[in-house]
Amino acid sequence: FTNTDLTVENGSLSNVSSNDSGITWTATLTPDSNVTDTTNTLTLDLTGISDLAGNSGVGSANSGNYSIDTTRPALASAITLSDAALKIGDTTTVTFSFTEAVSGFTVAGVNVANGVLTNLITNDGGTTWTATLTPDSNVTDTTNTLTLDLTGINDLAGNSGVGSVNSGNYSIDTTRPALASAITVSDTALKIGDTATVAFSFTEAASGFTTADVAVANGVLTNLITNDGGITWTATLTPDSNVTDATNTLTLDLTGISDLAGNSGVGSSTSGNYTLDTTRPALASAITVSDTALKIGDTATVTFSFTEAVSGFTVADVAVANGVLANLITNDGGITWTATLTPNSNVTDTTNTLTLDLTGINDLAGNSGVGSSTSGNYSIDTTRPALASAITVSDTALKIGDTATVTFSFTEAVSGFTVAGVNVANGVLTDLTTSDSGITWTATLTPDSNVTDTTNMLTLDLTGIKRL
């Protein structure tokens, strides 16, 4: 009896041997590797065996059945992920398909890059398993894999796996888009005609960003563009007209902005402060003249009250009718200005104004005024009263009993004129009257008695006479 008399399915026998003189024989059966077979037998060919008398056997004999499982558990196909691009709020189903039913498989046997594996189950007795992969928060990584450690997994025969298997790659972006740095405004002191470039720098490329996502204090944002695929954006800030405000900001609403993975931002971000002055300097009230009826020796204080402090204001900016403006000063930083108006000499004019040219005046932001402003009316009379014509005497050859009418015609109505103001040679002046409100005056000249004189005159002293 030798091993050649035996046919062994899926295995090999060590040399047969007997310890009882040939009645009982034993050998060791070693199954072949990587075999899974539930129906195996040993077949003994009796024809090659003889007893001690030399009789040979006939036929053959089969052993009972034995099963063999020398195949280690392994994956039948690659680990699959239902979603290989994970963002905030996403999960993915991971499927492990084995070559046979396994036991001892837990999530602890899977190394997960940037995530957590849960809900590991099988619905077919252990061949196919599924689990839920939830990515970690605040991760951006394009190279991630799952690694299955097969050494902790057994098939139902108790064979353990060997080595490990990696899944295909999956990407994770669970980082919300945010600003990488503060919003910048290229010009933080805006005046009329100015614009500023506003820059938004994100931590990653952003989409869905429009000017509607930015609340602009006292201005308008236009021309929002990106030149680097969505990371850095610029826009033009144009201030509103007729605004003076020292405290202004831009507020970006991040909730309307998404990254390229589809994650939306949260909260808002506010720029640093910028100031606006797009109000032109103007008069806050009418130009005032302290004396609106100027005569010889008079001056008037002219007051200009502006809506804000101004610079560049000189007397050259004021057109003065029949006068000169001097001593232009401000005592409150440029809001209220005063000057002295001196009327020209020898002028009689009841209609005079000052006209301020605002175009030469700037506010402290550099905005220039527009148009002009005119004061109320003031009158000037710097012409001294005088005779419009020679004094006339109605009778220039007076004798006893005669009187003469003396006429004084002035250039304008006068007051303070009395006969005391007339020196009369050899006579007396009486009955001084005016019938036209002070322009023309008449008086009666009565010569003295007992006088003979061919050279006599009336002398009018004008210093005591005043205009009305």
Side-chain angles (χ1 to χ4, degrees), residues 74-82 93-99 105 127-130 145-148 150 164-169:
L75 287 175
S77 58
I79 302 168
T80 62
L81 288 82
S82 61
T93 298
V94 183
T95 302
F96 305 86
S97 296
F98 291 93
T99 53
F105 182 23
T127 302
T128 305
W129 298 73
T130 59
T145 56
L146 298 165
T147 301
L148 171 62
L150 289 164
S164 61
V165 177
N166 291 330
S167 71
N169 187 69

Side-chain angles (χ1 to χ4, degrees), residues 86-107:
L86 300 173
K87 62 182 185 297
I88 293 171
D90 285 352
T91 60
T92 185
T93 298
V94 183
T95 302
F96 305 86
S97 296
F98 291 93
T99 53
E100 57 186 314
V102 298
S103 64
F105 182 23
T106 68
V107 293

Side-chain angles (χ1 to χ4, degrees), residues 153 188 212 281 303 320 362 405 453 455-456:
I153 298 171
T188 57
T303 302
V320 183
N362 296 322
T405 298
D453 193 336
T455 57
N456 301 279

Side-chain angles (χ1 to χ4, degrees), residues 261-439:
N263 300 310
S264 61
V266 292
S268 61
S269 185
T270 300
S271 72
N273 187 68
Y274 58 93
T275 65
L276 294 182
D277 186 343
T278 55
T279 305
R280 293 189 183 276
L283 288 174
S285 56
I287 301 168
T288 62
V289 182
S290 63
D291 185 349
T292 57
L294 298 171
K295 61 184 183 297
I296 294 171
D298 285 350
T299 60
T301 298
V302 182
T303 302
F304 306 86
S305 295
F306 291 93
T307 52
E308 58 185 314
V310 299
S311 64
F313 182 23
T314 69
V315 293
D317 297 309
V318 186
V320 183
N322 294 314
V324 176
L325 210 59
N327 303 322
L328 181 65
I329 60 169
T330 178
N331 291 315
D332 61 0
I335 296 176
T336 306
W337 298 71
T338 58
T340 301
L341 170 61
T342 302
N344 292 338
S345 300
N346 299 315
V347 172
T348 300
D349 194 333
T350 59
T351 56
N352 302 277
T353 56
L354 298 162
T355 300
L356 170 63
D357 179 6
L358 288 161
T359 61
I361 297 171
N362 296 322
D363 63 16
L364 301 187
N367 300 311
S368 61
V370 292
S372 61
S373 185
T374 301
S375 71
N377 187 70
Y378 59 93
S379 65
I380 294 177
D381 189 343
T382 54
T383 304
R384 295 186 182 277
L387 289 173
S389 57
I391 302 168
T392 62
V393 181
S394 62
D395 185 351
T396 58
L398 298 172
K399 61 184 184 296
I400 294 171
D402 285 349
T403 60
T405 298
V406 181
T407 301
F408 305 86
S409 296
F410 291 93
T411 53
E412 57 188 314
V414 298
S415 64
F417 182 23
T418 68
V419 293
V422 184
N423 182 44
V424 183
N426 296 313
V428 176
L429 208 60
T430 58
D431 302 324
L432 181 64
T433 62
T434 179
S435 59
D436 60 2
S437 301
I439 296 175

Side-chain angles (χ1 to χ4, degrees), residues 147-160:
T147 301
L148 171 62
D149 179 7
L150 289 164
T151 61
I153 298 171
N154 297 319
D155 62 14
L156 300 186
N159 299 310
S160 62

